[in-house]
Amino acid sequence: MTPGTTGPALGGPVPLLGATGAGDDTPHHRLGEAQRRAEFAGEVSTALAGSLNVRRTVLRLLDLIRPALADWALIVMPDAKLGRLVLHGGADPRTSRTTARNPAEELGVGRILRSGRTELLHVAVDDDTVDGLDSLIPDDDLRAEATDLRPADVLGVALTARGSHLGVLVLVRGAGRGFPVEDVALAEQVASRAAVALDSARLYEDRSRVASVLQAGLRPPALPSVPGLRLAARFRAAAEHVDIGGDFYDAHGSGDDWLLALGDVCGKGVEAAVLNGRARQSIRTAVHFDRSPAAVLGALNSALYEEDSDRFVTAVCTRVRPGPDGADLTVSVAGHPAPLLLRADGTLRELEVAGIVAGVLPSAAFTEVHARLDPGDTLLMFTDGTYEARGQHGVYGMDRLRALLPVYAGAGPEAVCEAVEQDVVEFLGGRPHDDMALFAVSSAP
């Protein structure tokens, strides 16, 4: 490799840093080299800035430093979950593989990960000791690639960000280049800037992974298949780009005894989603001991009450016990609108039940009402985001909801939920809205 070699680094022709030639040791040349090094470090920072993906950051870094800074490069990063070292790069920058961490602990890679100190080794043509390439390249295949460059200089630089050693940048230069003091300093500067980008990408990925796991636990559940019943639900979050919010629905039970719950937590955004999770878990736990709706809401109230908190939950719980010719319903609410019972003949009945919101008093008693779900009937539970939706002509309102439902008598829960959601969305006309949830149950024929 000779001075003036070009490559992909920095997007065009790149004079090789560290390359020397006759007559190069002049003040003018040294000044030019210093400027080139400063520009190179700055361009690395710019190229890596804003990257929020570890893999892309690694690939971009390897692309930048070859061949300008090294003839061969490797990034070694510990993976705490695997308990191994992940190796990125080599002759093919896209290569990624893992190796056991323990054998490398006593070699150069392990020393750099522990101390953060740079190590520079010269590997002679006949050097086969562990103080040579073995020390900084803990993989047989990758080490064989670097062996072709012997005699070579191998530089190991810690990737340190925010006080932690994230990995090691291993650079290899073949005969004739070496690593002068200025290039060692440049490599350390590049590693420092790259480490910040890698750490930011790692943190972003970790947080995204945590958020995904949490969201998975808060997303509306798949409804069970219940003999004798038909269940359907709809959920539309206030923020259209996410599928979690403050409204929730759940179905718990087995055999011929089920509890259907629908609720709306106080607030919006992440705080509402957290309270959503607490409420759902409280209901899930309570159902294991008593499927009485009043008892479940009492347990929910006790679980959510905090003396210095102003957060609360409204909810409706319906116990459904299907039989051969319909189902028995027991309904209780906590500050929530009462369900609507749509009969197969189009008659609409609003169940007469009320109760205080959950979470504002240390103890609360809830009342229950009973109803019968005959074949073809549908019970609809809904949150206030449905009837309080505000469009061009004001609020959607309960009167509009009551007028809509009789048209869908006998159509079943899927059709009822879909019709209500579509009518509300059309009424909104693209305007912002609160979370909306619908949960309906019919007796299967």
Side-chain angles (χ1 to χ4, degrees), residues 12 29 31 155 191 194 263 278 291 301 309 366 382 401:
H29 176 77
L31 177 60
L155 181 65
R278 288 182 58 192
R291 290 178 188 167
N301 179 80
S309 173
F366 298 92
F382 48 90
L401 179 60

Side-chain angles (χ1 to χ4, degrees), residues 294-307 333-334 355-367:
V296 170
L297 291 178
L300 174 65
N301 179 80
S302 299
L304 296 182
Y305 175 74
E306 296 177 3
E307 189 172 354
V333 302
I356 189 171
V357 297
V360 297
L361 296 176
S363 61
F366 298 92
T367 59

Side-chain angles (χ1 to χ4, degrees), residues 47 61 70 77 106 164 173 189 259 303 314-315 333 344 360 412 439:
L61 175 60
M77 300 182 70
E106 301 306 319
S164 297
R173 284 182 174 179
Q189 188 177 11
L259 186 109
T314 72
V333 302
V360 297
F439 195 1

Side-chain angles (χ1 to χ4, degrees), residues 400-431:
R400 183 178 177 118
L401 179 60
R402 294 189 187 96
L404 172 70
L405 291 177
V407 178
Y408 296 91
E414 298 88 352
V416 169
C417 287
E418 182 179 357
V420 173
E421 181 186 34
Q422 182 175 342
D423 196 56
V424 174
V425 170
E426 290 176 356
F427 181 84
L428 284 165
R431 289 171 175 77

Side-chain angles (χ1 to χ4, degrees), residues 52-294:
L52 296 177
N53 179 279
V54 172
R55 175 68 175 165
R56 285 197 296 268
T57 304
V58 165
L59 289 173
R60 184 58 177 147
L61 175 60
L62 291 170
D63 183 58
L64 289 167
I65 61 181
R66 292 181 58 201
L69 193 57
D71 299 320
W72 189 94
L74 178 70
I75 295 174
V76 183
M77 300 182 70
D79 188 314
K81 290 181 294 184
L82 297 176
R84 297 173 67 83
L85 296 177
V86 182
L87 314 177
H88 302 279
D92 183 353
R94 297 167 299 178
T95 298
S96 288
R97 62 187 70 192
T98 65
T99 188
R101 181 167 182 170
N102 291 339
E105 290 290 343
E106 301 306 319
L107 301 177
V109 167
R111 292 193 298 267
I112 296 172
L113 285 172
R114 289 193 301 272
S115 68
R117 295 177 181 174
T118 298
E119 293 198 8
L120 176 59
L121 307 173
H122 177 73
V123 183
V125 174
D126 58 351
D127 193 345
D128 293 323
T129 69
V130 293
D131 290 327
L133 291 174
D134 287 10
S135 184
L136 292 176
I137 306 176
D139 178 85
D140 293 340
D141 293 335
L142 293 173
R143 192 161 50 250
E145 294 176 359
T147 299
D148 292 339
L149 295 171
R150 293 192 299 182
D153 286 285
V154 187
L155 181 65
V157 184
L159 293 164
T160 302
R162 302 177 178 91
S164 297
H165 306 314
L166 309 178
V168 178
L169 176 61
V170 180
L171 305 175
V172 181
R173 284 182 174 179
R177 292 190 67 183
F179 284 100
V181 174
E182 296 83 359
D183 282 1
V184 172
L186 173 61
E188 291 175 337
Q189 188 177 11
V190 168
S192 177
R193 298 183 182 191
V196 173
L198 285 168
D199 191 45
S200 297
R202 180 181 60 82
L203 289 173
Y204 178 81
E205 288 187 353
D206 287 346
R207 290 174 181 175
S208 296
R209 193 175 300 110
V210 170
S212 296
V213 172
L214 292 176
Q215 287 181 10
L218 294 174
R219 289 191 183 102
L223 294 176
S225 176
V226 181
L229 299 177
R230 293 169 58 190
L231 303 176
R234 287 286 191 281
F235 172 74
R236 183 176 288 266
E240 297 291 348
H241 62 285
V242 298
D243 55 2
I244 62 172
D247 289 5
F248 64 89
Y249 60 84
D250 266 318
H252 305 286
S254 61
D256 59 356
D257 192 0
W258 289 80
L259 186 109
L260 312 182
L262 178 138
D264 182 359
V265 309
C266 170
K268 297 180 180 180
V270 176
E271 292 79 6
V274 172
L275 189 57
N276 175 330
R278 288 182 58 192
R280 289 175 60 185
Q281 183 58 47
S282 298
I283 291 173
R284 185 178 299 115
T285 302
V287 168
H288 281 289
F289 299 96
D290 192 338
R291 290 178 188 167
S292 160

